[in-house]
């Protein structure tokens, strides 16, 4: 009897249903197991906590009766600030554990290191199903730090990160990843069986987070987006912001003769998200109650965005034809109260965007591929990415050249895990262009020098250009001072054959066109079934 071949649509449907059942049963197993194991620990921990509190009270009583002076009280404040400012951020946080004098000096002479003295950290995300903490990789010493090591930071564990702005991470928290999801495991399966497009019955939250200080600024929930898949945990592919969500204001108090600082929400901060596989965009402010959905349509055709960036209140979106044209939305005008086209936040905007058609000569993307035995081989492929220059407010386009190979008709659909790479993408080089607008029109101009000491940091979720004159990077076993005009890149791709083969980390020099790879320490856990996109951010304390 001949074997009947199952159609691709049938395989896709049953794989999605099976994946939904796996997620639900895994949640049931994980939470029930954690609950049973935590009960005995809870009672023993309570006794230990009570004993430790009695010991602390006794020690504090002894200390309060003594009159020993601290050397930090005698040291001039200017000298103490110079010492604290020269510490790297992890050392600054841990210096309070040295002795009572250091511990007493931190709250009084609070002077954390300046953000520009820190090399951006790389957030290595663990998939929520892996039950592991996220890690931060510091390239200055090639060490990883657990996200839970910076205070009681419960806002990171098992949360997704979709972007960053300076020292702030943009997080997604799905109820499915938290203990509340234990209440709905089988209803999740029923939803999947009734509709294999996977409608999620869970609430999803969005917020800014400073992972060092633990400060959190709430964004409208993506569940408010008027789209049937808006509650899905992986709905947002990337989120960008025009500025930091909090502003620090200083005021002088005449009563105690001190300068007081307080923080307020930045009402001018604009946030935009790339969602729905690039078919939709969404934007809001931290002060809004809901998102506004944008359906990009250019000359009657749907526009599938690959990357976005915000500059001066304008949202730039690019696709594979970014060398030929970009689309632009003026978010400040769309967000204006009572605007006739956009309407109030939470609506769906379908108006035409501004189309920026580039003048000739235009950059040409390199593409070279062939198919052998059902495997697609790309020896050269350039994909566009967007970034902004924070100093000149110019838009940059980066052509990322890489090579890879994947199965043309994989067993596991690409919609679930992405491409099942036979050979994961490996970076071959970059080309950088900046957008120049003159009287004739917009044009891409190639950039050979980023500007002296400046470095471009690239990843799927965040791209940033910073100045670094006194920084140093660690590659493996040796340390090297940062040279300007280079690109630090970090891309994580799914590879079922080996979870380590999918990592593409390194530094590309625009001067001599060579690449220096760096390896992540082996103590970072990773789930090989899922690609965990990396995020760059500049750590700092509020």
């Amino acid at each position: 009897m001949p074997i009947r071949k199952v159609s691709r649509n049938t395989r896709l449907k049953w794989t999605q249903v099976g994946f939904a059942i796996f997620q639900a049963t895994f949640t049931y197993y994980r939470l029930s197991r954690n609950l049973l194991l935590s009960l005995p620990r809870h009672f023993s921990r309570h006794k230990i906590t009570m004993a430790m509190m009695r010991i602390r009270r006794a020690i504090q009583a002894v200390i309060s009766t003594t009159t020993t002076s601290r050397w930090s009280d005698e040291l001039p404040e200017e000298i103490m600030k110079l010492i604290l400012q020269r510490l790297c951020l992890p050392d600054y946080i841990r210096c309070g554990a040295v002795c009572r004098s250091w511990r007493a000096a931190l709250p009084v002479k609070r002077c954390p290191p300046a953000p520009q003295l820190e090399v951006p950290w790389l957030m290595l995300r663990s998939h929520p199903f892996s039950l592991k903490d996220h890690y931060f990789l510091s390239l200055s010493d090639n060490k990883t730090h657990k996200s839970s090591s910076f205070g009681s930071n419960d806002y990171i564990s098992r949360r997704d990160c979709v972007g960053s702005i300076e020292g702030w991470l943009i997080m997604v928290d799905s109820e499915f990843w938290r203990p509340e999801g234990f209440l709905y495991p089988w209803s999740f399966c029923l939803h999947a069986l009734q509709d294999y497009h996977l409608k999620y019955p869970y609430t999803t939250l969005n917020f800014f987070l400073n992972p060092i200080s633990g400060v959190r600024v709430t964004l409208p929930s993506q569940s408010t987006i008027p789209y049937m898949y808006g509650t899905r945990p992986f709905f947002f592919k990337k989120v960008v912001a025009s500025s930091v969500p909090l502003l620090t204001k200083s005021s002088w108090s005449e009563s105690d003769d001190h300068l007081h600082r307080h923080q307020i929400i930045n009402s001018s901060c604009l946030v935009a998200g790339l969602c729905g596989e690039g078919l939709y965009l969404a934007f809001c402010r931290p002060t809004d109650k809901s998102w506004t959905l944008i359906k990009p349509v250019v000359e009657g055709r749907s526009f599938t965005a690959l990357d976005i960036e915000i500059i001066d209140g304008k949202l730039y979106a690019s696709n594979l034809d970014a060398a030929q044209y970009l689309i632009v939305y003026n978010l400040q005008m769309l967000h204006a109260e009572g605007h006739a086209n956009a309407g109030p936040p939470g609506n769906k905007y379908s108006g035409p965007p501004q189309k920026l058609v580039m003048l000739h000569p235009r950059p040409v993307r390199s593409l070279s591929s062939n198919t052998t035995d059902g495997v697609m081989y790309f020896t050269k492929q350039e994909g566009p990415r967007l970034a902004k220059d924070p100093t000149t407010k110019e838009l940059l386009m980066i052509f990322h050249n890489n090579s890879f190979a994947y199965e043309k008709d994989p067993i596991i659909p690409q919609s679930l895990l992405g491409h099942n790479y036979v050979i994961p993408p490996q970076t071959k080089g970059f080309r950088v262009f900046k957008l120049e607008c003159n009287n004739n029109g917009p044009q891409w101009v190639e950039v050979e020098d980023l500007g002296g000491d400046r470095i471009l940091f690239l990843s799927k979720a965040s791209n940033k250009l910073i100045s670094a004159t006194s920084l140093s990077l660690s590659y493996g076993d040796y340390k090297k001072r940062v040279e300007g005009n280079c690109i630090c890149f970090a891309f994580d791709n799914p590879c079922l054959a080996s979870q380590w083969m999918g990592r593409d980390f390194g530094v590309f020099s625009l001067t001599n066109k060579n690449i220096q790879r760096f390896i992540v320490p082996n103590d970072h856990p990773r789930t090989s079934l899922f690609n965990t996109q990396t995020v760059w951010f500049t750590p700092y304390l509020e």
Side-chain angles (χ1 to χ4, degrees):
M1 178 181 295
I3 299 175
R4 188 170 67 91
K5 186 176 181 181
V6 181
S7 67
R8 180 179 178 82
N9 291 335
T10 303
R11 279 187 292 157
L12 174 64
K13 176 178 179 179
W14 284 109
T15 304
Q16 288 179 323
V17 171
F19 185 64
I21 295 175
F22 163 75
Q23 288 180 315
T25 54
F26 190 91
T27 303
Y28 181 86
Y29 162 76
R30 171 171 65 84
L31 294 176
S32 60
R33 177 177 176 271
N34 288 351
L35 179 62
L36 292 176
L37 293 178
S38 63
L39 288 178
R41 287 201 303 265
H42 172 74
F43 293 108
S44 59
R45 190 182 303 163
H46 178 70
K47 293 181 180 179
I48 295 174
T49 302
M50 296 302 296
M52 291 295 294
M53 289 178 61
R54 288 193 292 268
I55 293 174
R56 285 198 192 113
R57 288 170 186 167
I59 294 175
Q60 290 176 358
V62 173
I63 293 176
S64 62
T65 57
T66 59
T67 57
T68 56
S69 61
R70 300 188 180 96
W71 58 261
S72 57
D73 296 333
E74 306 297 331
L75 197 64
E77 185 174 352
E78 293 77 11
I79 296 179
M80 194 65 183
K81 286 185 176 181
L82 290 175
I83 296 174
L84 295 177
Q85 285 178 339
R86 280 169 169 76
L87 297 176
C88 64
L89 192 58
D91 290 343
Y92 176 86
I93 295 173
R94 290 192 286 257
C95 70
V98 175
C99 63
R100 288 190 295 114
S101 295
W102 279 107
R103 188 162 52 252
L106 286 180
V108 179
K109 302 178 178 62
R110 182 178 175 87
C111 189
Q116 60 268 24
L117 298 180
E118 285 287 339
V119 175
W121 286 9
L122 184 63
M123 183 178 181
L124 303 171
R125 300 191 300 109
S126 299
H127 195 276
F129 294 156
S130 67
L131 306 181
K132 301 294 183 180
D133 287 334
H134 299 317
Y135 273 64
F136 302 132
L137 173 63
S138 173
L139 296 183
S140 58
D141 54 9
N142 199 36
K143 292 182 179 179
T144 56
H145 307 277
K146 278 188 177 183
S147 60
S148 57
S149 63
F150 298 98
S152 56
N153 203 343
D154 186 48
Y155 293 126
I156 283 189
S157 300
R158 291 178 296 280
R159 273 66 169 175
D160 191 18
C161 183
V162 291
S164 68
I165 176 73
E166 297 185 9
W168 294 85
L169 301 176
I170 305 175
M171 308 296 295
V172 176
D173 179 14
S174 174
E175 194 179 40
F176 177 64
W177 295 331
R178 293 186 278 114
E180 292 88 334
F182 177 76
L183 301 176
Y184 310 115
W186 306 117
S187 65
F188 182 84
C189 287
L190 293 177
H191 275 258
L193 291 171
Q194 292 171 0
D195 181 2
Y196 68 88
H197 288 297
L198 305 183
K199 294 180 181 178
Y200 285 75
Y202 303 112
T203 301
T204 305
L205 304 178
N206 308 85
F207 54 91
F208 285 97
L209 173 68
N210 186 322
I212 307 301
S213 64
V215 178
R216 170 175 168 170
V217 177
T218 303
L219 285 171
S221 170
Q222 67 186 59
S223 303
T224 62
I225 296 178
Y227 185 62
M228 61 182 301
Y229 301 136
T231 58
R232 296 177 65 172
F234 300 109
F235 178 65
F236 277 127
K237 300 301 178 184
K238 180 179 180 179
V239 178
V240 296
S242 61
S243 58
V244 295
L246 285 183
L247 296 177
T248 302
K249 289 194 174 183
S250 302
S251 60
W252 186 266
S253 176
E254 297 181 355
S255 58
D256 56 3
D257 198 28
H258 278 82
L259 186 67
H260 296 274
R261 293 182 177 180
H262 58 279
Q263 294 179 324
I264 60 173
I265 294 180
N266 185 3
S267 59
S268 63
C269 174
L270 290 167
V271 184
L274 180 65
C275 48
E277 301 295 338
L279 296 176
Y280 291 91
L281 306 173
F283 73 94
C284 70
R285 295 184 191 267
T287 53
D288 290 341
K289 294 183 179 180
S290 58
W291 293 77
T292 298
L293 188 68
I294 300 176
K295 171 63 176 175
V297 178
V298 180
E299 297 176 353
R301 295 183 179 181
S302 296
F303 181 90
T304 303
L306 296 180
D307 206 355
I308 55 175
E309 192 57 80
I310 299 178
I311 300 179
D312 287 338
K314 294 183 178 181
L315 175 62
Y316 294 82
S318 66
N319 60 3
L320 285 176
D321 297 324
Q324 302 178 20
Y325 71 95
L326 298 173
I327 62 171
V328 185
Y329 288 94
N330 191 333
L331 297 186
Q332 291 181 338
M333 183 180 66
L334 295 181
H335 195 276
E337 185 176 359
H339 189 269
N341 291 329
N347 282 4
K348 182 177 178 181
Y349 177 71
S350 301
Q354 178 187 2
K355 184 178 180 181
L356 294 181
V357 180
M358 304 302 162
L359 298 175
H360 292 279
R362 300 167 178 170
V364 179
R365 291 194 311 120
S366 299
L367 179 62
S368 177
S369 64
N370 61 80
T371 304
T372 305
D373 297 330
V375 178
M376 291 284 295
Y377 291 91
F378 288 83
T379 56
K380 182 184 292 186
Q381 184 190 50
E382 286 186 321
R385 301 183 184 276
L386 299 182
K388 65 179 176 182
D389 188 330
T391 304
T392 62
K393 300 295 182 67
E394 291 177 324
L395 181 68
L396 302 178
M397 179 182 66
I398 303 96
F399 272 175
H400 179 202
N401 183 12
N402 54 19
S403 63
F404 56 92
Y406 65 86
E407 294 178 337
K408 192 173 181 181
D409 188 15
I411 297 176
I412 301 177
Q414 298 177 7
S415 59
L416 293 181
L417 302 181
H419 292 300
N420 182 12
Y421 291 107
V422 178
I423 302 176
Q426 286 291 308
T427 296
K428 301 299 182 182
F430 296 92
R431 288 191 294 160
V432 182
F433 302 85
K434 69 176 180 179
L435 181 62
E436 288 189 354
C437 297
N438 50 41
N439 295 332
N440 296 325
Q443 185 177 22
W444 290 117
V445 179
E446 188 165 5
V447 177
E448 298 291 344
D449 190 348
L450 295 176
D453 62 340
R454 298 202 297 175
I455 304 173
L456 182 60
F457 291 83
L458 288 183
S459 69
K460 290 182 180 179
S462 63
N463 304 325
K464 54 181 75 268
L465 182 66
I466 69 168
S467 177
T469 54
S470 59
L471 302 181
S472 58
L473 298 180
S474 252
Y475 308 120
D477 297 330
Y478 67 97
K479 198 170 185 179
K480 180 182 179 182
R481 182 164 294 280
V482 172
E483 297 177 358
N485 199 33
C486 66
I487 299 175
C488 290
F489 59 91
F491 301 103
D492 211 349
N493 303 286
C495 182
L496 301 182
S498 172
Q499 58 178 333
W500 304 106
M501 289 176 58
R503 282 183 173 155
D504 184 19
F505 297 170
V507 180
F508 174 78
S509 173
L510 284 172
T511 304
N512 51 31
K513 310 301 181 183
N514 64 2
I515 296 177
Q516 177 65 52
R517 306 281 177 179
F518 63 84
I519 302 175
V520 178
N522 292 330
D523 57 352
H524 168 58
R526 184 172 182 268
T527 304
S528 59
L529 288 178
F530 303 93
N531 62 319
T532 52
Q533 63 181 3
T534 51
V535 182
W536 294 102
F537 73 101
T538 306
Y540 72 94
L541 282 170
E542 296 295 330

